[in-house]
Amino acid sequence: MKVEGSSKKMIATQAEMVENKVHIPYRDQCAHLLIPLNKCRQAEFYLPWKCEIERHSYEKCEYKLVMERMLQMQKILEEEAKLKQAGKQGVSVPLIPKTANA
């Protein structure tokens, strides 16, 4: 399943995420990495030095998603700035307004 606005596909299905009790805010394109990470964390009693490989792969995936969203937002802002600039060039507003008696 492809998610609109993202280049990554959803690998984990909704049923898998519900079955593994993935909270709704974490159901993104990296959920397929979060499921084994959470299982490892539970098996290792959440010890911080355990499950490093799983955690690193999940955090890297999340980082890539954030960077992709930032690039998309930057493109949108640049397009808006271009449109705004093009709109300003067509209509010139005087800095000093003309009064009725001048």
Side-chain angles (χ1 to χ4, degrees), residues 71 73-84:
L71 288 174
M73 191 63 194
Q74 185 178 4
K75 287 178 185 177
I76 291 170
L77 292 175
E78 287 173 358
E79 289 174 9
E80 287 178 356
K82 285 179 185 177
L83 291 173
K84 193 174 186 181

Side-chain angles (χ1 to χ4, degrees), residues 15-87:
E16 289 174 339
M17 291 186 276
V18 169
E19 180 183 326
N20 290 294
K21 299 177 184 161
V22 176
H23 295 286
I24 292 175
Y26 299 103
R27 293 182 186 182
D28 57 7
Q29 291 90 342
C30 299
H32 67 284
L33 298 170
L34 182 61
I35 292 169
L37 173 61
N38 284 341
K39 286 181 180 178
C40 178
R41 285 175 170 167
Q42 289 172 355
E44 299 295 338
F45 302 106
Y46 289 88
L47 294 172
W49 57 87
K50 301 285 185 171
C51 311
E52 290 180 347
I53 295 170
E54 292 89 348
R55 190 185 76 221
H56 177 72
S57 61
Y58 173 72
E59 289 177 351
K60 186 175 181 180
C61 180
E62 285 292 335
Y63 174 77
K64 286 181 179 180
L65 281 179
V66 168
M67 294 308 291
E68 184 179 332
R69 285 194 299 263
M70 286 177 55
L71 288 174
Q72 287 176 349
M73 191 63 194
Q74 185 178 4
K75 287 178 185 177
I76 291 170
L77 292 175
E78 287 173 358
E79 289 174 9
E80 287 178 356
K82 285 179 185 177
L83 291 173
K84 193 174 186 181
Q85 190 73 313

